[in-house]
Amino acid sequence: MNVSETLTGQSRVVIEHVSPELDGGLYPIKAVPGDVIAVEADIFADGHDYLTAVLLFKHIDDANWTETAMAPIINDRWGASFVVEKQGKYLYTLESWVDHPGSWQHEVHLKVADGQRITSELLAGAQYLDGMLVRAGGATEQKKGGKGKGTKAKSEPISESTDAKAIREMAALFRDESRYNEAVSVAESDQFTFYASRYPERQHVTRYGHELGVEVDRARAGFSNWYCLFPRSASRVEGKHGTFKDVEALLPRISGMGFDVLYLPPIHPIGTAHRKGKNNSVICQPGEPGVPYGIGSPEGGHDAIHPELGTVEEFKHLIAIAANYGMEVAMDLAIQCSPDHPWAKEHPEWFKKRPDGSIQYAENPPKKYQDIYPVYFETDDWQNLWEELKRVLLVWASWGVRIVRVDNPHTKPFGFWEWIIAEVKKEFPDMLFLAEAFTRPKVMQELGKRGFAQSYTYYTWRNTKYELEQYMMELTQTEMKYYYRPNFWPTTHDINPYSLQSGHEPQFLIRYFLAATLVSNYGIYGPSFELMEHIPFPNKEEYLNSEKYEIRLWDWDRTNKLTYLISLVNRIRRENVALQVTNNIQFCPVNDDAIMAYLKVKDANRLLIVVNTDAYNRRAGVVQVPIGLLGIGPEQYYQVHDLLTGAYYNWQGEHNYVELDPYSLPMHLFRIEV
Amino acid sequence: MNVSETLTGQSRVVIEHVSPELDGGLYPIKAVPGDVIAVEADIFADGHDYLTAVLLFKHIDDANWTETAMAPIINDRWGASFVVEKQGKYLYTLESWVDHPGSWQHEVHLKVADGQRITSELLAGAQYLDGMLVRAGGATEQKKGGKGKGTKAKSEPISESTDAKAIREMAALFRDESRYNEAVSVAESDQFTFYASRYPERQHVTRYGHELGVEVDRARAGFSNWYCLFPRSASRVEGKHGTFKDVEALLPRISGMGFDVLYLPPIHPIGTAHRKGKNNSVICQPGEPGVPYGIGSPEGGHDAIHPELGTVEEFKHLIAIAANYGMEVAMDLAIQCSPDHPWAKEHPEWFKKRPDGSIQYAENPPKKYQDIYPVYFETDDWQNLWEELKRVLLVWASWGVRIVRVDNPHTKPFGFWEWIIAEVKKEFPDMLFLAEAFTRPKVMQELGKRGFAQSYTYYTWRNTKYELEQYMMELTQTEMKYYYRPNFWPTTHDINPYSLQSGHEPQFLIRYFLAATLVSNYGIYGPSFELMEHIPFPNKEEYLNSEKYEIRLWDWDRTNKLTYLISLVNRIRRENVALQVTNNIQFCPVNDDAIMAYLKVKDANRLLIVVNTDAYNRRAGVVQVPIGLLGIGPEQYYQVHDLLTGAYYNWQGEHNYVELDPYSLPMHLFRIEV
């Protein structure tokens, strides 16, 4: 760097280690309207001068930055926060400069305390005030002592602001040796501090090198209760293919249980080439319906609807009726094709060729999936492929869909997701994407960074207290908290976890309850889950007679302890804001290796949740409540009200006894009421 | 991002979280020639394909990048390393791409193991080989089966390389159904792997977004033994001002003790205005010599030499003689002026003015330093100021100086240091700067990042085992290890720490020994330190009768237990490479709260250092040696050889007893000899 190129040689402040900042500012953090974004940074300069630091932020549609003062925390770390009021992208960055008037006042304090006479310092202070006067819109005196005549003698313009007047008078006082004592007292006063900080010098400002982003999604990104069902199994009549009309008839039940997102696996025409039969058999009997993930037939591809489910109009009708029940319908984006998909003929270049020129079917060697053509993202025609997929999503959006669950996003390029999510949100800012990636940690994280509003997690396989606490710490105490919104599923239509294959009711209650209280977004695969379906395909974490391969007839009227708990917990989730955010979790020590206790606090809503993760044994222990944090004194009584049973307990102090029997109810959901 | 702008839509690999990387690549890490730079990154793609990743590096003078293969470590983290052979700046970055032939071979393994016939796969493999053939410089067959005539029939060019020939034959084999079994075996062979990795596809390469730097200083940046003395106190004659000649006479003693950097506080003319007297008195008696930090008089400023010390020629002579003793002379850059400094007249704009137009003297309110004018770095004429300071350093360099200790760098802008260090090193790459900043942690760190080769530390105030271990962890286990080279000083001419004011000999031995064995760069302020001077200025961590304010007459011939230890330890440091690096330290548990034990290993040199930090009590404990790490079996005997006393001990297993009496020798310096 050459001196002449160094335009900032007088800028002395350093701003670094800004938090939150993802990958040097490459990716935005996530929020929902109303969230408080707390920003911190190391801010310091050479020497011992005072600094001023401000946080700048704006909605991307705003013309100007809003500015808020930062305050030192400790050890040259500064902090400030701002609220993201509305949907869309926000930007934030930082500025700082040496606060000469502030440093000056500090030195005045020290010298006055030492008994020094500060005449010269007051003159310097008057010079600072001259600067403030200009910035306060006051006119500068043209000629000091320029003895004017008549009414023009006073140099103050008539319209001068109150501030300007006060600053002008202060400067005059500082220059008036006859009023020395008064001047010293004003120099030391908050009044000086006030004007100095309202009209700061802002010389040689250091501005942080990055403008960082916040992607503010609508509220449902942060708080949602998902219910997955196969519409073709929605019929009440044995052997009859379910329809959107049948699904409409189920809405009272599903919304009655408290769900607000109805997620449907693919609803497109299903191919017949190499169609799979019941239990994933390669032999398909005539009349078998095929796998909804074998997308595409002569009746259409990703922008068409399977005729047996209904028409586009009927699908739009379902969406409208669902909305009346406070529910949204989420579609499933599985970017793969049946050999019968129109793209296979119209765009063979979007698929990988085998040496004999045929299209390469899907493989997970040694397994072969002849019924599926994966899309080849390395195609030289990738731009048209991307545009076509965007067109598909815009078609879905035109039907009224604003939530998309994406099947296996981790097998398509990250750059594609970053692009298409941004593109679709440009036209439909309400659009939310859920990443169904069950793969290695960094791959799942990257999808979150690139724009997925919510993500599936390892929750399905985290069962013990230790595993769950560790995993929650990873999700809420590391950088993931900024960009990864976990969505917990006890089961999915692809996963019947070993932990539930026993069909043991308390285990279902526990697995459900943890999902619904550890995080603010969760879902169940119904009615399989709430009816406690559990028989596995032998030696696999999959269901026997999975409705991925056949139409199932469910007893939609059945209720049980689990459906009761689900309805209750979803109501509690709606009524308690502390359950509507994820990162507010704080674990409390319990002297039992199965009982978990966690505090969830938002504003005045303070919940203490206690779960026995051992589904077979009664457990008892002492929960250590961080009463200090809750503002409860050590001698003070406080009431914990179990919202599940209605019971009230009077507690005192940090240590309180709990006992949970899995065969009655293995959990408490306490509201703390002082 | 618009599709058409996305030129990298086919690039699927992500490279992130590269380490080392300081502040998003803003600052280089530090090294000395021969250092191994271990680089890691998260590298992954969508899907399950194999990846290839390479580390690219080059000296800034090299035209081309050198490339070395990275290997996966765990959890999508990859690593590789390179050696910085020579001084100057190195750059490194990363590239990665999907390894299609590698993924192909992996799938071949799985399918063959499953008993599948892979005829089609072999044809795909042949296509990969065609690509390798081109990259191996082989000619592609123009027309397959194009039945040529005569000697031109064979399509292989005569000059084809061995590799190309082998690849061509392999491709032919893969296409020859009659040799199917042979082809399968070659497809699974290391031979295929070898050519695939030697001639990789490199399609759709992802290159990391930053080129990261390594500042490679000469060896002394990493390993140095400093000795500070005031040349004016070098005379053997009472009342006589010491000279460079006198210093020359002391070189045998100082180099005999094993020091290799002789650091002199400022040697410039000293001002007379407001000159300070003995013990920092504001009253200066006639004939008092003044403070060397009150720089500048009519005889000159920072580019001049105090006449009483000698001439420029004599100073250059000292440098030359010192070199004969293997020592370098370090100068002291204190950017501040006496009111008599030529700059005060020639460049009043480089100083801050008071309201009355006079130059502002230094203050640390309520204290005033009328004898010092601080330089005003916010001056609008900062560019000329910077250039003048650069000129000063180039003058010093022209005298032969290649090490500069900088006084209070933390009161001058960081950007200035970054600039001037880089500028001076452009012309004198050997130049090293030591930052004498005793201030807040982040300020000290920042100076390291901006280019100081070495830095003072908090060592002077870290006394207990706990404090020392914590501090060493911070220096060697956090990001600081990459850019902050600690230089430990038990005392300085400014600091007579409380811990040594007792004058207790074992405490001096301990404080010395820790400095010289915890880190590879250290220094002492002599002969004050080795003569165990300790009387403080009352209630201050400063010396009574400090030679900052007066000329001292020292007994340069005195030797004692400490001078013996210093000579011995400096010799051991020269002979044991494990003491020539800092970041190799590893603490060993000891069941005593005063005994510290630490392992320092480099190559075959393995040291175990044990120190009793309690200077008053005999301590005993059991040291837990990580014998597994040292390759020593649990039953195996090993010898530890105390290089301080010559004693040998036979140890076995992890746990070994030590006992250290401060009144005999409170430390062991064991070499582990198996």
Side-chain angles (χ1 to χ4, degrees), chain A residues 3 6 10 12 16 42 47 75-76 100 111 116 363 366 378 380 382 410 419 440 442 446 449, chain B residues 3 6 10 12 16 42 47 75-76 100 111 116 363 366 378 382 410 419 440 442 446 449:
Chain A
V3 162
T6 310
Q10 289 159 293
R12 294 166 44 200
E16 59 185 27
D42 292 344
N75 191 19
D76 290 319
H100 288 298
K111 289 172 180 174
Q116 297 178 21
E363 291 186 293
E378 287 190 25
D380 288 334
W382 61 273
H410 59 289
W419 176 82
R440 307 186 316 280
K442 286 168 190 170
E446 189 72 18
K449 280 189 207 166
Chain B
V3 163
T6 310
Q10 291 157 292
R12 294 166 46 202
E16 59 184 27
D42 292 345
N75 192 19
D76 290 319
H100 288 299
K111 289 172 180 174
Q116 297 178 20
E363 292 185 294
E378 288 190 26
W382 59 273
H410 59 288
W419 175 83
R440 307 187 316 281
K442 286 168 190 171
E446 189 72 17
K449 281 190 206 166

Side-chain angles (χ1 to χ4, degrees), chain A residues 33-312:
Chain A
D35 275 354
V36 177
I37 310 298
V39 180
E40 291 188 5
D42 292 344
I43 302 179
F44 53 89
D46 61 280
H48 307 282
D49 285 323
Y50 277 33
L51 305 183
T52 300
V54 293
L55 168 62
L56 304 170
F57 63 94
K58 65 173 198 170
H59 190 280
I60 202 153
D61 295 340
D62 297 342
N64 300 313
W65 294 90
T66 304
E67 195 172 288
T68 186
M70 301 190 78
I73 302 168
I74 194 172
N75 191 19
D76 290 319
R77 191 127 187 105
W78 293 60
S81 62
F82 66 103
V83 176
V84 288
E85 306 279 3
K86 58 183 183 185
Q87 202 172 321
K89 189 164 185 178
Y90 278 76
L91 296 174
Y92 61 97
T93 192
L94 309 173
E95 284 188 354
S96 180
W97 59 89
V98 174
D99 171 19
H100 288 298
S103 306
W104 172 88
Q105 191 180 37
H106 174 65
E107 295 185 1
V108 161
H109 289 316
L110 296 171
K111 289 172 180 174
V112 170
D114 189 53
Q116 297 178 21
R117 189 160 177 94
I118 58 161
T119 318
S120 168
E121 284 76 4
L122 286 172
L123 294 177
Q127 289 173 352
Y128 290 128
L129 287 164
D130 291 346
M132 294 177 217
L133 178 60
V134 172
R135 294 187 290 277
T140 43
E141 298 182 62
Q142 284 307 306
K143 235 179 196 174
K144 229 175 149 182
K147 294 167 186 159
K149 277 178 186 168
T151 54
K152 293 264 182 192
K154 296 183 81 170
S155 56
E156 299 137 49
I158 292 151
S159 64
E160 196 167 65
S161 72
T162 319
D163 281 1
K165 207 168 286 180
I167 293 167
R168 180 187 302 282
E169 282 165 13
M170 221 186 292
L173 171 63
F174 281 21
R175 288 189 169 102
D176 184 350
E177 280 206 58
S178 72
R179 296 162 71 200
Y180 176 80
N181 288 338
E182 193 189 339
V184 169
S185 128
V186 171
E188 293 204 274
S189 72
D190 288 346
Q191 200 191 343
F192 181 87
T193 323
F194 172 82
Y195 290 117
S197 91
R198 175 172 278 193
Y199 303 104
E201 283 216 318
R202 281 185 188 271
Q203 267 190 319
H204 315 314
V205 172
T206 295
R207 188 183 176 107
Y208 185 57
H210 301 155
E211 289 181 0
L212 304 168
V214 188
E215 182 72 20
V216 183
D217 287 314
R218 61 196 174 102
R220 189 148 284 165
F223 175 52
S224 59
N225 310 333
W226 291 56
Y227 190 88
C228 164
L229 68 76
F230 280 75
R232 68 187 185 180
S233 299
S235 164
R236 302 276 188 144
V237 182
E238 172 103 50
K240 196 174 160 292
H241 195 288
T243 63
F244 295 135
K245 274 279 164 259
D246 294 324
V247 175
E248 285 180 14
L250 296 172
L251 292 176
R253 177 182 180 276
I254 299 165
S255 78
M257 289 170 74
F259 293 98
D260 51 24
V261 178
L262 177 67
Y263 148 54
L264 310 178
I267 55 173
H268 313 297
I270 298 170
T272 51
H274 300 283
R275 176 180 280 193
K276 294 288 180 69
K278 196 169 150 73
N279 283 311
N280 202 18
S281 167
V282 291
I283 296 153
C284 182
Q285 305 298 337
E288 288 203 69
V291 182
Y293 290 91
I295 296 168
S297 80
E299 287 156 322
H302 286 75
D303 55 355
I305 288 199
H306 186 51
E308 292 193 73
L309 290 170
T311 63
V312 166

Side-chain angles (χ1 to χ4, degrees), chain A residues 1-14 16-17 23 27 42-49 74-77 98 100 106-107 110-111 114 116-117 120-125 127-128 203-204 352-356 360-361 363-368 376-384 386-387 409-416 418-419 422-423 426 439-443 445-446 449-450 479, chain B residues 1-14 16-17 23 27 42-49 74-77 98 100 106-107 110-111 114 116-117 120-125 127-128 203-204 352-356 360-361 363-368 376-384 386-387 409-416 418-419 422-423 426 439-443 445-446 449-450 479:
Chain A
M1 153 173 73
N2 190 285
V3 162
S4 61
E5 292 163 19
T6 310
L7 300 171
T8 54
Q10 289 159 293
S11 295
R12 294 166 44 200
V13 186
V14 173
E16 59 185 27
H17 295 149
D23 295 280
Y27 307 111
D42 292 344
I43 302 179
F44 53 89
D46 61 280
H48 307 282
D49 285 323
I74 194 172
N75 191 19
D76 290 319
R77 191 127 187 105
V98 174
H100 288 298
H106 174 65
E107 295 185 1
L110 296 171
K111 289 172 180 174
D114 189 53
Q116 297 178 21
R117 189 160 177 94
S120 168
E121 284 76 4
L122 286 172
L123 294 177
Q127 289 173 352
Y128 290 128
Q203 267 190 319
H204 315 314
K352 197 171 178 182
K353 301 267 185 331
R354 307 173 77 206
D356 65 5
Q360 176 69 59
Y361 50 78
E363 291 186 293
N364 184 12
K367 287 186 270 181
K368 304 174 183 214
Y376 182 52
F377 277 87
E378 287 190 25
T379 173
D380 288 334
D381 195 43
W382 61 273
Q383 288 172 314
N384 288 320
W386 289 22
E387 290 288 2
H410 59 289
T411 58
K412 289 92 196 170
F414 299 106
F416 164 71
E418 186 174 4
W419 176 82
E423 285 290 302
K426 266 185 214 162
T439 183
R440 307 186 316 280
K442 286 168 190 170
V443 174
Q445 290 164 10
E446 189 72 18
K449 280 189 207 166
R450 298 297 182 109
E479 207 176 58
Chain B
M1 155 172 72
N2 189 285
V3 163
S4 61
E5 292 163 18
T6 310
L7 300 172
T8 55
Q10 291 157 292
S11 295
R12 294 166 46 202
V13 185
V14 173
E16 59 184 27
H17 295 149
D23 294 281
Y27 307 111
D42 292 345
I43 302 180
F44 53 89
D46 61 281
H48 307 282
D49 286 323
I74 194 173
N75 192 19
D76 290 319
R77 191 126 187 105
V98 175
H100 288 299
H106 175 65
E107 295 185 1
L110 296 171
K111 289 172 180 174
D114 190 52
Q116 297 178 20
R117 191 162 176 92
S120 167
E121 284 77 2
L122 286 172
L123 294 177
Q127 290 173 352
Y128 290 129
Q203 269 190 317
H204 314 314
K352 197 171 178 181
K353 300 269 186 328
R354 307 173 79 205
D356 66 4
Q360 175 68 59
Y361 50 78
E363 292 185 294
N364 183 14
K367 287 186 271 180
K368 305 176 182 210
Y376 181 52
F377 277 87
E378 288 190 26
T379 172
D380 288 334
D381 195 43
W382 59 273
Q383 288 173 314
N384 289 320
W386 289 22
E387 290 288 4
H410 59 288
T411 58
K412 289 91 195 171
F414 299 106
F416 163 71
E418 187 175 4
W419 175 83
E423 286 289 301
K426 266 184 213 162
T439 183
R440 307 187 316 281
K442 286 168 190 171
V443 173
Q445 290 165 12
E446 189 72 17
K449 281 190 206 166
R450 300 296 182 110
E479 207 175 58

Side-chain angles (χ1 to χ4, degrees), chain B residues 148-164:
Chain B
K149 276 178 189 169
T151 54
K152 293 265 181 191
K154 296 183 80 167
S155 56
E156 299 136 49
I158 292 151
S159 64
E160 195 167 66
S161 73
T162 319
D163 281 1

Side-chain angles (χ1 to χ4, degrees), chain B residues 233-249:
Chain B
S233 299
S235 164
R236 303 273 186 146
V237 182
E238 172 103 52
K240 194 174 161 291
H241 195 287
T243 64
F244 295 135
K245 273 279 164 259
D246 294 324
V247 175
E248 285 179 16

